[in-house]
Amino acid sequence: MTFRSISRFGQYLRYASGFSPSRFGSVFNENRRSVTYMPRPGDGSPRAVTLIPGDGIGPLVTGAVQQIMEAMHAPLYFETYEVHGDMTSVPQEVIDSIRRNKVCLKGGLATPVGGGVSSLNVQLRKELDLYASLVNCFNLPGLPTRHENVDIVVIRENTEGEYSGLEHEVVPGVVESLKVMTKFCSERIAKYAFEYAYLNNRKKVTAVHKANIMKLADGLFLESCREVATKYPGIKYNEIIVDNCCMQLVSKPEQFDVMVTPNLYGNLVANTAAGIAGGTGVMPGGNVGQDHAVFEQGASAGNVGNDKQVEQKKANPVALLLSSAMMLRHLQFPSFADRLETAVKGVIAQGKYMTKDLGGSSNTQEVVDAVIAQLD
């Protein structure tokens, strides 16, 4: 979708205003906000977003997002680039596009196991300094799970720790892998977690660690969290060892609110929490730094799918659709984000159009059509 032509731009203005003839009668509907978002002049101009379809089911689910954005007449257009996990590096033109647009939406990139090829996901995070990963794991009405009242936000440090990539073979048969922790990175992820909790009316931040064993590295992380916590007296702060955390997650997940973690623990905790709340196919997420943001499926498990899903075109687009709603809010288009999120939740609540991972038999396009039909 683009808004490059004058005719399409005029169409966008008509829909963005909310005063098209067919909708005029509902403007003062009691369900609408009494105090609305007031944009600054020019905020409605179409925004360019870098799009990386990725590997496996990536093109299917990013294609779903494109269809729904077009149906919504959302004020954005995509610059699409082909990037695949078996490349040696992210092409410079892609990095330049994200730097220019500030925002990227991407499908999963397969990371080869073993060998000398590094993860392009990690490369992107380091190149753009996307130091905070955020995954929101919550119950969706209409989607049965073992636990109720789950609403967990996992905020993970994204640039160091075990993902520093500093490994070497000391002598044949002996490999050394370095876990790097710095005061700077630990402090800024703690600040981000508490700031997120403060801005979103969250009540508690839990730091996840293994400082009983890694006393210096994880000890530094905890020290940073404790210092930041003193600046937010209205937010409860506690700490939990990562192995106990995993046990508590699967037994009483409702006790957690915002969780802040070093790099590796965050990946494990986020995927565990996603599985508890309904599966990785429905959990949104993103990666953010000072200047750039990349939105993708929140939990990494299964984000490229398998050959059968690709052949049958039965990938679940819900996670990336909800991540796109996060992106719309990040771009300061809250009304479009609300419409998209409400439509997706409406489809889940009805339970008629669900992919196999959610207990249904629908394909990707059927879910997309159902979401479009739910758009108000």
Side-chain angles (χ1 to χ4, degrees):
M1 175 188 70
T2 69
F3 285 92
R4 299 178 192 273
S5 69
I6 294 175
S7 61
R8 290 297 299 280
F9 188 67
Q11 183 185 46
Y12 149 70
L13 288 175
R14 186 169 69 253
Y15 277 88
S17 68
F19 281 91
S20 61
S22 62
R23 296 185 61 190
F24 184 81
S26 63
V27 169
F28 298 104
N29 185 291
E30 61 181 5
N31 292 324
R32 290 186 179 274
R33 292 190 181 97
S34 57
V35 179
T36 188
Y37 165 73
M38 187 175 74
R40 296 166 298 185
D43 273 357
S45 301
R47 293 283 301 273
V49 173
T50 304
L51 178 66
I52 301 174
D55 296 315
I57 63 172
L60 268 177
V61 293
T62 55
V65 172
Q66 287 178 286
Q67 287 185 61
I68 292 170
M69 291 295 178
E70 186 164 3
M72 294 172 66
H73 302 278
L76 53 81
Y77 60 92
F78 293 104
E79 295 178 358
T80 303
Y81 294 89
E82 289 297 321
V83 181
H84 300 287
D86 57 1
M87 292 179 171
T88 55
S89 64
V90 179
Q92 187 59 45
E93 62 176 350
V94 179
I95 298 294
D96 292 341
S97 174
I98 300 174
R99 290 192 189 281
R100 181 174 62 252
N101 298 331
K102 309 295 185 186
V103 176
C104 172
L105 181 71
K106 88 175 187 65
L109 292 174
T111 300
V113 178
V117 180
S118 62
S119 166
L120 297 193
N121 297 299
V122 173
Q123 283 186 32
L124 264 179
R125 295 168 197 160
K126 290 185 176 180
E127 183 71 28
L128 299 169
D129 196 26
L130 304 171
Y131 67 86
S133 166
L134 186 150
V135 181
N136 190 189
C137 304
F138 55 94
N139 292 124
L140 283 163
L143 188 60
T145 59
R146 290 178 180 270
H147 299 277
E148 297 180 353
N149 303 316
V150 176
D151 187 5
I152 302 169
V153 174
V154 181
I155 294 176
R156 161 193 176 194
E157 203 293 316
N158 227 4
T159 60
E160 58 176 17
E162 294 86 352
Y163 287 64
S164 300
L166 300 174
E167 296 183 312
H168 64 276
E169 189 173 43
V170 183
V171 295
V174 179
V175 173
E176 189 172 61
S177 180
L178 301 181
K179 172 178 177 174
V180 177
M181 301 286 281
T182 64
K183 176 74 170 177
F184 174 78
C185 289
S186 297
E187 194 171 76
R188 70 176 179 174
I189 195 64
K191 286 180 179 177
Y192 185 83
F194 276 93
E195 186 175 66
Y196 175 89
Y198 170 68
L199 293 174
N200 288 277
N201 196 30
R202 295 280 183 157
K203 307 303 181 186
K204 181 171 69 172
V205 173
T206 301
V208 182
H209 67 95
K210 192 65 176 173
N212 57 324
I213 302 298
M214 284 169 275
K215 299 181 184 296
L216 292 179
D218 285 22
L220 178 62
F221 174 76
L222 283 185
E223 177 186 309
S224 301
C225 290
R226 290 166 184 168
E227 288 176 4
V228 174
T230 62
K231 300 174 183 177
Y232 292 85
I235 298 173
K236 184 180 178 182
Y237 170 72
N238 66 346
E239 300 166 357
I240 189 168
I241 296 173
V242 63
D243 38 357
N244 183 33
C245 173
C246 292
M247 188 274 288
Q248 295 289 335
L249 267 175
V250 299
S251 58
K252 294 188 292 183
E254 63 278 357
Q255 69 183 286
F256 295 107
D257 191 353
V258 175
M259 307 175 78
V260 59
T261 78
N263 207 333
L264 178 61
Y265 309 154
N267 191 21
L268 305 177
V269 168
N271 279 275
T272 303
I276 290 164
T280 58
V282 294
M283 299 303 148
N287 306 277
V288 67
Q290 190 64 42
D291 300 310
H292 311 95
V294 175
F295 294 87
E296 59 187 338
Q297 177 177 312
S300 59
N303 65 352
V304 297
N306 55 54
D307 292 340
K308 189 174 181 180
Q309 287 177 310
V310 175
E311 291 167 7
Q312 297 181 349
K313 298 184 177 180
K314 289 190 173 183
N316 187 350
V318 169
L320 200 64
L321 290 174
L322 293 176
S323 297
S324 299
M326 289 175 60
M327 179 183 74
L328 287 166
R329 291 195 181 93
H330 180 80
L331 290 169
Q332 297 186 338
F333 298 136
S335 177
F336 288 92
D338 291 346
R339 289 177 62 203
L340 176 54
E341 188 173 318
T342 300
V344 171
K345 289 181 176 179
V347 170
I348 297 293
Q350 285 183 350
K352 184 177 179 181
Y353 297 100
M354 310 269 264
T355 48
K356 186 177 179 180
D357 58 310
L358 303 183
S361 59
S362 299
N363 60 35
T364 306
Q365 190 59 51
E366 288 171 338
V367 175
V368 170
D369 292 341
V371 172
I372 291 173
Q374 283 276 336
L375 292 171
D376 60 12

